[in-house]
């Protein structure tokens, strides 16, 4: 190895190690929940390949939910736009405050005839205990636990470690995917981008 | 020898890194407010409330009055959501008090929140005091990445500018306790 390669290697190594403390800013902010959050450290931002694209019909699915027995994507056909929020896993940083944030945006979803479906690959008991910490969520929370991550895999957001990406999909009333955002797993996605996308596809119901 | 020099460079970068990642410590009584520069509000009523004459950057110590209450919050923090109505009542009580109105000002800083997110939080909870975004966690880092909600009472005005008199984390105390504390600080000064 020549000197320049050694220098580059050493600096890259130092830079990577020095970034490690920064993930602290992404940790959930809440007082009590913070002590229960498992911090996996800085993760590979995206670790899967999308299997759908904007313009495709959304893959149909039915999943068990915390509140109802099952929720099917098809039940919203013709009446609602559907925002699917995949988050990596219960009890992890960022996810533990992303949904509480959405919990005060019900009015925005209603404004655009939209429902929000929160999905993780955890089982229902885990999702129950985790979401109890968030207050009463107004949107359904679905478990893509078994067959493990099957729905996440259909969308192409199942990571190689069996967790899901931090992904947002907007499916219009005709069942067509209109917006996809698979963002850095270590950061919370920008709310405004999703709202702008909802606004762009919104066609008010004809009374 | 060259290899040794390289590892010294690695060590220096490593030593410098924590300073860059987190510049401040959690504020405590007696500290001075630092690293909290913000954009002046667009709303002229909010600028008038804070006593800021024009747009552009300002420092909390530029705000007119004698005491400043700062709430560090996040739209995404359930505790901050639950506390929002309580914090609103504090603002209303200050504004309704002959002794405190004009003397005690309030601001909120939304850590990791965009302008859009802070605005949504404001509208959702009908918050009347000015809120500011800290989207890239710059202020949050200068405050030692405090957990939210976090409250600071500091001096403003001509003497003892920006001196922190009290800090509190988590749930707000009963309104009367907080009001008594503000009245007490005003009498002492």
């Amino acid at each position: 190895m020549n000197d320049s390669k050694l220098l580059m290697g050493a600096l890259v190594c130092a830079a990577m190690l020095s970034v490690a403390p920064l993930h602290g800013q992404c940790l959930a902010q809440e007082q009590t929940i913070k002590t229960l959050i498992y911090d996996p450290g800085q993760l590979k931002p995206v670790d899967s390949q999308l299997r759908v694209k904007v313009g495709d019909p959304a893959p149909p699915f039915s999943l068990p939910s915390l509140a109802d027995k099952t929720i099917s994507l098809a039940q919203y056909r013709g009446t609602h736009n559907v925002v699917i929020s995949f988050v990596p896993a219960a009890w992890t940083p960022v996810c533990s405050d992303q949904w509480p944030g959405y919990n005060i945006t019900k009015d925005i979803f209603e404004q655009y005839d939209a429902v929000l479906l929160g999905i993780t690959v955890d089982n229902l008991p885990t999702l129950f205990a985790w979401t109890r910490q968030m207050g009463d969520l107004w949107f359904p929370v679905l478990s893509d636990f078994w067959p493990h991550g099957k729905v996440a895999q259909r969308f192409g957001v199942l990571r190689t470690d069996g967790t899901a990406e931090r992904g947002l999909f907007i499916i219009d009333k005709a069942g067509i995917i209109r917006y996809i955002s698979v963002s850095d797993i270590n950061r919370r996605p920008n709310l405004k981008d999703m709202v702008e996308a909802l606004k762009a596809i919104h066609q008010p119901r004809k009374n | 020898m060259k290899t040794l020099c390289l590892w010294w460079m690695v060590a220096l970068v490593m030593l410098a890194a924590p300073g860059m990642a987190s510049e401040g410590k959690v504020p405590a009584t007696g500290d001075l407010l630092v690293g909290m520069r913000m954009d002046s509000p667009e709303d002229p009523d909010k600028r008038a409330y804070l006593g800021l004459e024009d747009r552009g950057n300002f420092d909390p110590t530029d705000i007119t009055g004698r005491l400043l209450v700062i709430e560090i919050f996040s739209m995404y923090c359930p505790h901050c959501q639950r506390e929002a109505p309580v914090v609103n009542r504090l603002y209303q009580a200050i504004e309704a008090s002959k002794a405190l109105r004009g003397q005690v000002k309030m601001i909120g800083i939304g850590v990791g929140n965009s302008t859009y997110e802070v605005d949504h939080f404001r509208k959702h909870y009908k918050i009347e005091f000015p809120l500011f975004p800290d989207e890239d966690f710059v202020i949050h880092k200068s405050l030692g990445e405090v957990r939210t909600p976090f409250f600071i009472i500091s001096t403003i005005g001509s003497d003892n500018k920006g001196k922190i008199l009290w800090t509190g984390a988590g749930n707000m105390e009963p309104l009367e306790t907080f009001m008594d504390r503000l009245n007490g600080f005003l009498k002492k000064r």
Side-chain angles (χ1 to χ4, degrees), chain B residues 32 36 45 60 89 187:
Chain B
L32 290 174
M36 295 183 71
D45 290 343
R89 284 198 287 279
K187 279 176 194 162

Side-chain angles (χ1 to χ4, degrees), chain A residues 127-172:
Chain A
L127 284 175
F128 175 80
W130 181 51
T131 57
R132 283 292 86 204
Q133 310 283 327
M134 301 176 183
D136 294 322
L137 298 180
W138 61 268
F139 52 89
V141 172
L142 312 185
S143 165
D144 189 19
F145 178 67
W146 204 256
H148 189 80
K150 191 178 172 187
V151 174
Q153 196 159 33
R154 280 189 195 156
F155 281 81
V157 290
L158 189 67
R159 292 168 68 96
T160 56
D161 65 356
T163 59
E165 299 289 0
R166 196 171 303 289
L168 288 165
F169 294 82
I170 301 181
I171 295 147
D172 68 14

Side-chain angles (χ1 to χ4, degrees), chain A residues 3 6-7 10 14 17-18 22 25 29-31 34 97-98 100-101 104-105 107-108 133 188 191-192 195, chain B residues 2 6 10 14 17 21 75-76 78-79 81-82 112-113 116-117 120 124-125 137 140-141 147-148 169-170:
Chain A
D3 285 351
L6 190 62
L7 173 65
L17 288 168
S18 69
L22 284 171
Q25 74 186 35
Q29 305 289 319
E30 212 211 3
Q31 293 280 354
K34 185 157 182 167
D97 58 10
Q98 186 175 340
I104 61 166
T105 59
D107 55 335
I108 297 176
Q133 310 283 327
R188 198 170 47 227
L191 178 65
K192 190 178 179 186
V195 176
Chain B
K2 278 181 183 171
L6 286 171
V10 171
M14 293 292 295
M75 169 193 151
Y76 291 90
H79 263 315
Q81 296 172 359
R82 277 181 228 125
N113 292 180
Y116 181 87
E117 289 162 338
H120 181 74
H124 187 82
Y125 291 106
F137 297 92
H140 195 220
K141 282 180 196 165
R147 293 182 186 185
T148 52

Side-chain angles (χ1 to χ4, degrees), chain B residues 111-131:
Chain B
V111 295
N113 292 180
S114 65
T115 303
Y116 181 87
E117 289 162 338
V118 162
D119 205 40
H120 181 74
F121 192 77
R122 180 184 60 76
K123 281 189 269 190
H124 187 82
Y125 291 106
K126 300 181 174 59
I127 295 167
E128 294 175 73
F129 58 91
L131 302 180

Side-chain angles (χ1 to χ4, degrees), chain A residues 88-103:
Chain A
W91 305 110
T92 56
V94 186
C95 313
S96 296
D97 58 10
Q98 186 175 340
W99 286 358
Y102 294 161
N103 208 25

Side-chain angles (χ1 to χ4, degrees), chain A residues 9-205:
Chain A
L11 287 176
V12 167
C13 166
M16 284 174 72
L17 288 168
S18 69
V19 165
L22 284 171
H23 68 75
Q25 74 186 35
C26 299
L27 292 178
Q29 305 289 319
E30 212 211 3
Q31 293 280 354
T32 51
I33 201 171
K34 185 157 182 167
T35 58
L36 300 173
I37 299 301
Y38 174 76
D39 182 5
Q42 193 77 4
L43 299 172
K44 186 177 176 183
V46 175
D47 185 32
S48 61
Q49 281 286 320
L50 275 170
R51 292 188 175 185
V52 293
K53 60 182 187 305
V54 170
D56 286 353
F61 64 82
S62 291
L63 286 173
S65 84
L66 279 178
D68 303 295
K69 279 191 177 172
T70 56
I71 296 267
S72 300
L73 182 61
Q75 73 191 65
Y76 301 106
R77 181 72 63 88
T79 61
H80 289 86
N81 300 306
V82 178
V83 178
I84 299 174
S85 166
F86 283 101
V87 295
W91 305 110
T92 56
V94 186
C95 313
S96 296
D97 58 10
Q98 186 175 340
W99 286 358
Y102 294 161
N103 208 25
I104 61 166
T105 59
K106 189 180 180 188
D107 55 335
I108 297 176
F109 283 83
E110 286 177 346
Q111 187 181 352
Y112 300 119
D113 291 346
V115 293
L116 171 63
L117 303 179
I119 304 180
T120 84
V121 296
D122 300 284
N123 65 4
L124 284 175
T126 301
L127 284 175
F128 175 80
W130 181 51
T131 57
R132 283 292 86 204
Q133 310 283 327
M134 301 176 183
D136 294 322
L137 298 180
W138 61 268
F139 52 89
V141 172
L142 312 185
S143 165
D144 189 19
F145 178 67
W146 204 256
H148 189 80
K150 191 178 172 187
V151 174
Q153 196 159 33
R154 280 189 195 156
F155 281 81
V157 290
L158 189 67
R159 292 168 68 96
T160 56
D161 65 356
T163 59
E165 299 289 0
R166 196 171 303 289
L168 288 165
F169 294 82
I170 301 181
I171 295 147
D172 68 14
K173 293 174 187 175
I176 304 298
I177 298 173
R178 301 290 296 273
Y179 172 82
I180 300 175
S181 160
V182 178
S183 55
D184 183 347
I185 194 170
N186 303 291
R187 297 182 69 84
R188 198 170 47 227
N190 188 313
L191 178 65
K192 190 178 179 186
D193 292 347
M194 181 188 66
V195 176
E196 291 293 331
L198 263 182
K199 192 176 173 182
I201 68 166
H202 177 58
Q203 290 176 330
R205 275 181 241 187

